[in-house]
Amino acid sequence: MPEPVGAHRPLFVTGAVLGEGPDAAVPVHYGAPLREQRRLLDRRAVVDLGQLELLEVRGTDARTWMTTITSQVLAGTPVGSSASLAVLSPQGRVEHLASSVVLEEEALLLILDAGARAGLRRYLEMMRFAARVELIDRDDLRVLGALAPAAEVLPGLGLPDPVAVWAEPWPQVAPGGVAYGPDPEDPVGAVLTVLDAAALRGLPWAGEQLAGMSSWEALRIADHRARAAREIDERTIPHELDLLRTAVHTAKGCYRGQETVAKVLNLGQPPRRLVMLHLDGSQDLPVGVGGEVRLGGADGKAVGTVTSSALHADLGPIALAVVRRAVPLDAPLSVGVAVADSSGEDRVTWVDAAQEPIVVARDHGERPATAKL
């Protein structure tokens, strides 16, 4: 297996198959994806999330400053507390999405998807003005994902003390948040443990202690959790992905994009909505990211795009897709899959899909008390 160089080399490479796109630096699996997923569910394995990027915001004004320029309240929260946050455009579109942990009274650690740090850092530097803050790239750290803190999952490995542990009680609505749909069935959540990268590399890793990204993505999709590198595009507003549940505080002071958040929440509906798809597995055709979603079969109307897909150990093939708001919640859908025919030419085969609603239309007869215009 060709091995990436530098800080993002996999922790364990025996049997590893590298991923693609934003996950190209870490294994998608180690040879037994479903067994790995079972170990992850049983809290006996962790996932190497070395592709994630970390940015520390440190200084006297760090938390108050981040509160004013993001969608979340970070000032006054306890040391060690976790949150999700977004940076929105003036039109309310999602430009950046991050997980944050309060390291100290004057320091935050932001955990970002692969390739996202440079853009967020540029924005923060532009907005710094006279704020007493410092931005520090933390390439000396690495993230492990699991369903509990990594030291609890692998107590005998000799893991170093964590620099930070991020966890939020998903799908519980955070303070100031608003749910845009039903809770997922049997959610498992996610815990990100941030540790010293050099110390991790020196440990005696074994294959049964690790699960690949295919396992992590399957659990994320089943939990209805949007990911920056997959679900967000240039048109996304938070309501479409149920980000108001945890990443947007609707009762805080002014921040960029607040007007769109409040108007759509109080008066309108988002133009698109996130949905989970249960895919017909009888054709044994892997549905890829970017697959077209149609209402009905091959002759139906194009209504959306697959953003994430995975094989779940219990649910079978599942996916997330962003579809038009007007698509009925119970309508049968189909997803296009490119398949090479006998001549080597690609043809599109259509896979049936049933919807599991994530974002639904809000009843504006009773407006949330926290929403402000």
Side-chain angles (χ1 to χ4, degrees), residues 279-286 317 335 337 339 347 349-353:
L279 303 161
D280 177 10
S282 62
Q283 299 182 66
D284 194 25
L285 295 174
V335 177
V337 180
V339 179
R347 59 181 176 82
T349 296
W350 294 91
V351 175
D352 293 337

Side-chain angles (χ1 to χ4, degrees), residues 139-208:
D139 291 330
D140 59 316
L141 304 177
R142 194 180 189 100
V143 181
L144 298 180
L147 304 189
E152 296 179 15
V153 176
L154 301 176
L157 183 60
L159 290 167
D161 291 338
V163 174
V165 176
W166 178 91
E168 61 181 9
W170 180 268
Q172 180 179 320
V173 178
V178 176
Y180 245 80
D183 291 351
E185 295 184 12
D186 302 319
V188 298
V191 177
L192 305 178
T193 304
V194 183
L195 303 112
D196 179 81
L200 286 181
R201 202 164 280 293
L203 295 176
W205 290 98
E208 65 271 14

Side-chain angles (χ1 to χ4, degrees), residues 57-367:
V57 183
R58 177 174 290 275
T60 304
D61 298 330
R63 292 213 272 165
T64 54
W65 178 64
M66 288 293 290
T67 296
T68 63
I69 62 175
T70 74
S71 63
Q72 191 54 269
V73 172
L74 300 168
T77 54
V79 171
S81 61
S82 304
S84 296
L85 61 87
V87 172
L88 307 180
S89 74
Q91 294 75 35
R93 293 180 171 85
V94 181
E95 293 187 340
H96 305 284
L97 187 66
S99 303
S100 72
V101 182
V102 181
L103 292 177
E104 304 169 12
E105 288 294 340
E106 297 184 355
L108 295 167
L109 186 67
L110 305 181
I111 306 171
L112 299 142
D113 217 331
R117 182 174 63 189
L120 177 58
R121 182 175 182 127
R122 283 194 298 271
Y123 173 74
L124 294 178
E125 287 173 343
M126 181 179 67
M127 297 298 294
R128 182 158 44 184
F129 302 113
R132 295 168 291 177
V133 295
E134 179 184 6
L135 305 176
I136 307 167
D137 291 347
R138 294 302 305 269
D139 291 330
D140 59 316
L141 304 177
R142 194 180 189 100
V143 181
L144 298 180
L147 304 189
E152 296 179 15
V153 176
L154 301 176
L157 183 60
L159 290 167
D161 291 338
V163 174
V165 176
W166 178 91
E168 61 181 9
W170 180 268
Q172 180 179 320
V173 178
V178 176
Y180 245 80
D183 291 351
E185 295 184 12
D186 302 319
V188 298
V191 177
L192 305 178
T193 304
V194 183
L195 303 112
D196 179 81
L200 286 181
R201 202 164 280 293
L203 295 176
W205 290 98
E208 65 271 14
Q209 297 168 326
L210 291 158
M213 276 301 298
S214 63
S215 299
W216 189 252
E217 286 290 88
L219 303 191
R220 177 182 70 83
I221 292 169
D223 265 4
H224 300 175
R225 289 184 283 115
R227 178 182 172 187
R230 294 299 189 193
E231 276 65 55
I232 292 175
D233 61 24
E234 68 281 355
R235 299 165 51 198
T236 303
I237 61 173
H239 320 63
E240 297 176 333
L241 305 183
D242 204 17
L243 294 181
L244 272 68
R245 186 183 289 266
T246 58
V248 178
H249 195 296
T250 61
K252 61 168 293 199
C254 293
Y255 58 95
R256 195 170 71 162
Q258 182 190 30
E259 293 80 4
T260 296
V261 169
K263 287 179 181 177
V264 174
L265 181 60
N266 285 316
L267 304 173
Q269 303 291 352
R272 303 179 299 174
R273 60 181 179 86
L274 186 66
V275 63
M276 187 173 112
L277 302 178
H278 293 267
L279 303 161
D280 177 10
S282 62
Q283 299 182 66
D284 194 25
L285 295 174
V287 170
V289 172
E292 185 177 76
V293 179
R294 291 190 176 183
L295 189 59
D299 297 327
K301 183 178 182 180
V303 294
T305 304
V306 171
T307 55
S308 300
S309 66
L311 180 63
H312 193 280
D314 295 317
L315 302 176
I318 56 176
L320 293 178
V322 176
V323 301
R324 296 179 183 178
R325 179 190 68 208
V327 176
L329 295 174
D330 58 352
L333 303 175
S334 297
V335 177
V337 180
V339 179
D341 60 21
S342 56
S343 66
E345 297 292 327
D346 282 348
R347 59 181 176 82
V348 176
T349 296
W350 294 91
V351 175
D352 293 337
Q355 298 184 64
E356 182 173 321
I358 296 177
V359 170
V360 299
R362 289 189 60 83
D363 179 4
H364 294 296
E366 182 177 351
R367 298 178 186 174

